[in-house]
Amino acid sequence: MFNRGARKAVTIVCAGPGYGKTLAVSAWVGRGDPPGAVAWLTADTRYDVQGLWADLLDALRISGVVPQSSVLATLTPGVQFGEPELDRIVEGLMHLPTPIVVVLDDFHHITDPAALDSINRVAEYRIPQLRLVLVSRTEPDLRLSRLRLVDDVADIDGNDLTYTAAETREVCARSGVTLGDGTLTELHSRTQGWPAGLRLAMISVDEAAGAVPVLEHFSGNNRRVAEYLLEEILDRLSPSDRLFLLATSVVDQMTAELARALSGRVDSKHVLEDLVARNALTVRLSDRPHWFRYHPLLRELLQDRLSAENPDSVAELNRRAADWYFGRNEPIDALRHYAYARDWATVAMVLGQVALPLILTPQATALVSALSTVYDDVARLPTAETLIVALVCDYQRHDFESMQRNADDAALLLSGTDDPLADVYRIIIAIAHTVHARATSPSRLVATADGLLELLDRVPRREVPASAAYTLVAINNRATGLVHEGLLDRAQISLSAVRTQGGHLGIGLTVLSAASYLSLVEFLLGDLDQAEIESTASLATAETRGWAREPQLLAAYAAAALVYLERADFEKAERYIDTGLAASTTGSDIGCRLLLHVAAVGVAVARRELSPARTALHRLDLLAASVVLPALLVAWSRACRAEVAMVAGEPQVALEVIGDPGDGVDYASSLMRITRAKALLELARPAAALEELRPADRFAGFKTLAAEGALLEAAAHGHLRRDNTAVERVGAAVALAAPVGLRRPFLLADAQIPIQLNRYIRLSGDRSSFVTELADTFGVVTEQTTPPATVLQDLTERELAVLKYLPTMLKSSEIAADLFVSVNTVKTHQRSIYRKLGVSNRREAVESARYWEML
């Protein structure tokens, strides 16, 4: 850095006190890096042009570069020192035999215009043998634009002299102090790499026992830091500027307008820019050029001084800052300063009217951070306002029981009150009750959401500008409750509206929740492709925004797990189950957490693994026992218990667990009927299983259940020797399953499934990749079978009439009665049909006739 600067005519080292400017230049000189001898002069505040050059010439002669023959060897500036003498000095410098580096330390002390002008003139000559290094706290008042234009000025500022985190670690190590990463990071943050601050921290360690406790609490209130800052900065300011710093220390960043609101000074912009120019540990933010901030250690000292000298002003100054931020629609900063002022009534008002929806955005953490001081006041003297603020913090921390208690206590305090803000507070309390229902009691979710909507309808929107966002939150939670009740069509309409409108209101987590539950609805309706698209899109969005562990995402994890379970991709299903359960450890959406356990049971059952199935069911039962479940979750829980019982070889127990599914055509009833049909098949009661699955269109609204129902019908008909009907139902199942990749139902532990699938393949000629994959799973031969022999002779009209009866289960006598002929006549026609088709039995005759499209 200094070596590069030494190639320029002038190097300016400009930084505030404590940045180690002099030490840095001294270290450079001590290493022998300068391109020649060094003449060092520390400036004095009393310097005029004559005094400056008198001492500077002495420094040049001491450096040993001035030969006896040089004019510089004997020149002594007098009282009348002026341009002629300066010209002689310039001539002498030009004729020096070796390069010289002139270091002018504390250059900010030189204020005499003539002295400054003389340095400026020497610099503009760009003397080849001369390098000027000016060390100053403020930017030198020199005319260097022409030199800058030709790139002959090097600037080294506070940013260049600030310690990096690695350098901070090295300084600590050289001081014999070993720190953990967390303490080191905190120390670097507090000092901002300010060399003086770090040195004072090391001195503090020398004076105390134990480095870590001292450095963890190292601040501007440290005695040595305070002494240094008072001596080097505050005591050098005018009384009015000192008051300005004290008043503005309540904010961590400020504009001139904010500083004016706090200090009352109309010249705030000038004061701030002057502090920056004087390097008084005040900086202009590089990314926001109209904003300024104080060094953290300076601000801490200022805040300490303000509290000691004028404690009554602290709350008022914070209130002014809050009003300023609120007027500029920056509610989080406003809330932070209202909280500092302990003005909880205003905090609760701002939350209810404007800011609470931010809890559903990426700003949630910042919002709660601004409010977290409320807990001290809640413990000391709870009021409706402090309880309301606390319950908002509880929500973000997923402490739903504490949130509910605070909401109930606040409601009691508000009962009978005529507070004009009571309705605003009641809205927040109603939101808390809805959130608590979602987290712990999904059966109450629709009712609590309805209560919130009724309250919002009563309160004029002008009183609660955020009511549009609150309404969407209520609708979203109501729709979530409807999903758990199995009322999917109504839920889907509401969730779609929330997803669309929530984006306009900026409540990203609510939008994510709606999208996640939409993917779950798509799964329940049987559109596995859309469910996969919706759920993975929600998960990808969450991953991008850092929301992967947010409770609003659990429905997407559940939907993805269930989709891959249905597709028999068990490894993927398990990944989503595990990730979803890890993300839901706080129990923030108990309905979806339960569904993740349902999926875990489903994976173990599909694999026919009894021990893992029982373990997963135990976890499901523990969770289900803690709450009153809505209809859909009740059905799913029963179905899981029944499925595990069947894996254990106890189908009768399965029937008892399911009980009476009712006559409804909703998902819950349909799921239980499917499960009962499986148990009845295992009990060798195919006719009863078919009765359970009637009417045929019972499952029409749910594609996956319809496919599974068709497959169960195929198995039942197969057991009853109704092969033609069984094959037809397999075809119906394939038609529903193939487009969405549904495979799990085909893994049913029933011998009729592979048998009927084989017949379906032979009779239909279906060689699709989906069917081929299923056949491979069951070991069914899918190669192209030899076509039935060519028809040897056309069938007569009577033979064709008999042929149409062959695919049925009617006996020869029944066919004869239906055709009004004798049994012998029917048998004669059958033998003739077999001969003409080149087959030997009734089944082959049917297959051949279908192949030749005679049926």
Side-chain angles (χ1 to χ4, degrees):
M1 181 167 56
F2 286 104
N3 289 338
R4 290 195 302 272
R7 293 194 289 267
K8 313 288 186 180
V10 179
T11 297
I12 298 175
V13 184
C14 181
Y19 276 87
K21 302 178 293 297
T22 300
L23 286 175
V25 177
S26 297
W28 176 61
V29 172
R31 288 196 304 268
D33 291 339
V38 175
W40 189 296
L41 177 65
T42 300
D44 192 290
T45 56
R46 297 166 296 176
Y47 273 154
D48 57 11
V49 66
Q50 182 247 342
L52 169 65
W53 282 102
D55 287 355
L56 194 50
L57 287 171
D58 284 342
L60 286 167
R61 288 190 281 265
I62 293 170
S63 70
V65 299
V66 179
Q68 290 298 321
S69 58
S70 171
V71 65
L72 303 178
T74 56
L75 183 65
T76 302
V79 177
Q80 300 300 319
F81 184 88
E83 286 190 21
E85 290 75 22
L86 186 60
D87 288 342
R88 293 182 64 193
I89 290 173
V90 169
E91 182 180 0
L93 290 170
M94 286 184 172
H95 289 89
L96 287 176
T98 57
I100 180 69
V101 176
V102 175
V103 177
L104 283 172
D105 197 7
D106 285 347
F107 192 82
H108 52 276
H109 286 159
I110 302 175
T111 58
D112 178 68
L116 291 170
D117 183 65
S118 68
I119 295 296
N120 204 84
R121 289 183 59 194
V122 170
E124 287 182 335
Y125 277 111
R126 301 175 68 192
I127 299 169
Q129 292 91 332
L130 176 66
R131 296 290 181 268
L132 283 175
V133 178
L134 310 180
V135 184
S136 177
R137 286 190 178 183
T138 60
E139 188 69 28
D141 189 14
L142 301 174
R143 303 181 304 277
L144 301 176
S145 56
R146 285 195 294 176
L147 289 179
R148 292 187 189 280
L149 193 62
V150 295
D151 193 25
D152 216 4
V153 177
D155 290 290
I156 298 172
D157 59 18
N159 291 328
D160 300 307
L161 299 172
T162 296
Y163 289 137
T164 64
E167 289 167 340
T168 298
R169 183 186 296 276
E170 183 180 348
V171 170
C172 292
R174 291 190 177 187
S175 301
V177 177
T178 303
L179 301 177
D181 290 342
T183 305
L184 188 74
T185 300
E186 178 65 20
L187 177 62
H188 185 260
S189 175
R190 283 186 172 277
T191 61
Q192 297 282 288
W194 182 41
L198 188 56
R199 177 57 188 151
L200 290 169
M202 295 301 99
I203 293 173
S204 300
V205 172
D206 292 341
E207 295 178 344
V212 173
V214 171
L215 296 181
E216 282 182 343
H217 302 289
F218 183 73
S219 69
N221 300 327
N222 176 278
R223 180 176 61 82
R224 287 190 176 274
V225 174
E227 290 173 352
Y228 185 89
L229 294 173
L230 287 168
E231 180 181 337
E232 295 294 333
I233 295 180
L234 294 186
D235 290 348
R236 297 171 184 260
L237 298 174
S238 66
S240 60
D241 285 352
R242 187 178 185 278
L243 289 174
F244 176 89
L245 263 70
L246 291 174
T248 54
S249 67
V250 297
V251 294
D252 55 356
Q253 298 176 4
M254 76 201 82
T255 64
E257 292 79 11
L258 176 54
R260 179 177 179 177
L262 292 169
S263 67
R265 290 186 58 166
V266 295
D267 62 341
S268 291
K269 183 177 181 181
H270 171 76
V271 176
L272 288 168
E273 290 179 341
D274 183 57
L275 289 168
V276 172
R278 292 160 65 179
N279 280 312
L281 293 186
T282 304
V283 298
R284 187 192 305 273
L285 302 185
S286 58
D287 58 333
R288 302 167 75 192
H290 297 297
W291 286 78
F292 303 81
R293 68 169 175 83
Y294 301 136
H295 190 284
L297 294 179
L298 174 61
R299 183 173 175 237
E300 288 168 356
L301 174 65
L302 291 170
Q303 289 177 312
D304 182 67
R305 292 290 86 206
L306 179 65
S307 296
E309 297 173 16
N310 192 3
D312 294 339
S313 70
V314 176
E316 175 57 27
L317 288 168
N318 275 294
R319 216 172 274 111
R320 290 183 195 174
D323 290 343
W324 188 87
Y325 279 116
F326 188 68
R328 282 152 185 80
N329 196 29
E330 296 186 39
I332 291 179
D333 288 311
L335 287 168
R336 178 180 293 108
H337 287 284
Y338 284 131
Y340 287 154
R342 293 296 191 268
D343 187 353
W344 297 116
T346 305
V347 170
M349 178 196 72
V350 173
L351 270 175
Q353 291 184 337
V354 178
L356 188 56
L358 295 175
I359 203 75
L360 299 170
T361 73
Q363 299 182 72
T365 301
L367 175 65
V368 171
S369 174
L371 305 174
S372 57
T373 55
V374 73
Y375 286 115
D376 293 337
D377 286 12
V378 167
R380 182 172 51 83
L381 184 64
T383 64
E385 290 83 4
T386 56
L387 289 166
I388 284 168
V389 176
L391 73 83
V392 173
C393 297
D394 293 335
Y395 167 78
Q396 175 64 12
R397 295 170 179 178
H398 297 167
D399 188 350
F400 300 110
E401 294 308 319
S402 178
M403 178 192 71
Q404 180 78 344
R405 285 194 302 273
N406 285 329
D408 291 342
D409 290 347
L412 282 175
L413 291 172
L414 287 171
S415 60
T417 183
D418 57 357
D419 189 327
L421 292 173
D423 282 339
V424 175
Y425 299 159
R426 290 189 180 101
I427 288 173
I428 298 178
I429 292 168
I431 292 172
H433 288 155
T434 303
V435 170
H436 185 262
R438 180 166 179 161
T440 64
S441 185
S443 61
R444 295 174 43 243
L445 191 49
V446 173
T448 55
D450 282 340
L452 174 56
L453 287 168
E454 290 172 9
L455 182 57
L456 288 166
D457 283 341
R458 288 203 314 268
V459 179
R461 181 165 292 190
R462 64 178 179 276
E463 292 184 19
V464 187
S467 61
Y470 298 152
T471 299
L472 278 189
V473 169
I475 293 173
N476 182 64
N477 279 285
R478 187 177 191 279
T480 296
L482 291 174
V483 172
H484 293 316
E485 294 288 355
L487 303 174
L488 304 182
D489 290 341
R490 290 159 60 187
Q492 191 173 37
I493 293 170
S494 295
L495 290 169
S496 298
V498 171
R499 182 169 61 176
T500 301
Q501 298 173 33
H504 300 314
L505 294 175
I507 45 178
L509 286 174
T510 299
V511 172
L512 184 63
S513 173
S516 297
Y517 265 91
L518 276 170
S519 68
L520 187 57
V521 170
E522 295 289 358
F523 166 79
L524 294 167
L525 294 175
D527 193 341
L528 301 188
D529 287 341
Q530 191 60 31
E532 180 184 24
I533 291 169
E534 295 272 8
S535 61
T536 53
S538 295
L539 293 168
T541 299
E543 187 68 32
T544 301
R545 298 182 183 179
W547 293 348
R549 294 182 63 84
E550 292 297 331
Q552 288 81 359
L553 196 64
L554 296 185
Y557 284 118
L562 291 166
V563 164
Y564 289 113
L565 167 61
E566 292 301 298
R567 288 178 170 168
D569 190 342
F570 303 131
E571 290 185 1
K572 271 191 179 180
E574 286 177 324
R575 284 202 297 273
Y576 283 109
I577 292 167
D578 293 343
T579 308
L581 289 175
S584 64
T585 52
T586 55
S588 48
D589 187 337
I590 197 168
C592 284
R593 186 170 176 81
L594 191 141
L595 286 180
L596 288 164
H597 285 297
V598 165
V601 173
V603 169
V605 166
R607 287 172 167 166
R608 315 301 292 178
E609 297 173 346
L610 181 57
S611 180
R614 282 176 168 165
T615 300
L617 179 62
H618 176 67
R619 292 170 180 161
L620 170 62
D621 285 341
L622 285 177
L623 187 62
S626 65
V627 295
V628 177
L629 297 178
L632 179 60
L633 298 182
V634 167
W636 236 323
S637 298
R638 287 183 184 174
C640 285
R641 294 188 197 102
E643 293 277 11
V644 174
M646 283 186 275
V647 173
E650 300 172 340
Q652 185 59 45
V653 173
L655 278 180
E656 293 168 2
V657 166
I658 290 294
D660 182 7
D663 293 326
V665 292
D666 56 289
Y667 190 93
S669 297
S670 300
L671 176 64
M672 288 194 286
R673 284 189 174 274
I674 289 284
T675 310
R676 281 182 61 84
K678 291 181 193 176
L680 289 167
L681 281 175
E682 291 204 12
L683 288 168
R685 296 171 58 188
L690 286 173
E691 192 63 33
E692 198 70 50
L693 298 170
R694 292 192 176 99
D697 61 349
R698 172 180 293 281
F699 311 114
F702 315 106
K703 296 176 186 175
T704 54
L705 293 184
E708 190 164 9
L711 207 56
L712 290 170
E713 287 182 286
H717 284 296
H719 286 297
L720 294 170
R721 305 288 184 177
R722 299 169 184 168
D723 292 340
N724 293 320
T725 305
V727 169
E728 183 273 326
R729 298 315 292 153
V730 169
V734 168
L736 289 167
V740 294
L742 175 66
R743 297 175 181 83
R744 182 196 54 77
F746 291 88
L747 303 179
L748 284 170
D750 191 298
Q752 284 295 317
I753 299 299
I755 293 172
Q756 300 304 333
L757 180 64
N758 186 21
R759 288 172 178 162
Y760 165 75
I761 294 171
R762 285 192 289 109
L763 292 174
S764 68
D766 188 338
R767 297 295 184 273
S768 65
S769 59
F770 179 78
V771 170
T772 301
E773 181 186 334
L774 290 178
D776 290 343
T777 301
F778 294 115
V780 175
V781 178
T782 61
E783 290 82 4
Q784 181 69 41
T785 56
T786 303
T790 304
V791 178
L792 302 177
Q793 188 178 345
D794 290 340
L795 272 63
T796 67
E797 185 176 339
R798 296 303 288 175
E799 289 169 346
L800 286 172
V802 172
L803 177 65
K804 294 185 185 301
Y805 282 89
L806 297 187
T808 70
M809 300 299 293
L810 296 177
K811 299 176 183 178
S812 296
S813 59
E814 294 172 320
I815 297 173
D818 204 44
L819 292 174
F820 301 102
V821 297
S822 69
V823 173
N824 288 334
T825 300
V826 170
K827 290 181 177 180
T828 300
H829 287 319
Q830 282 183 268
R831 287 194 295 271
S832 179
I833 291 169
Y834 297 165
R835 177 177 54 79
K836 292 180 178 181
L837 293 179
V839 298
S840 59
N841 56 53
R842 183 169 177 171
R843 178 175 292 168
E844 290 176 357
V846 170
E847 292 176 2
S848 180
R850 281 180 171 157
Y851 182 85
W852 296 112
E853 299 181 352
M854 300 169 73
L855 287 174

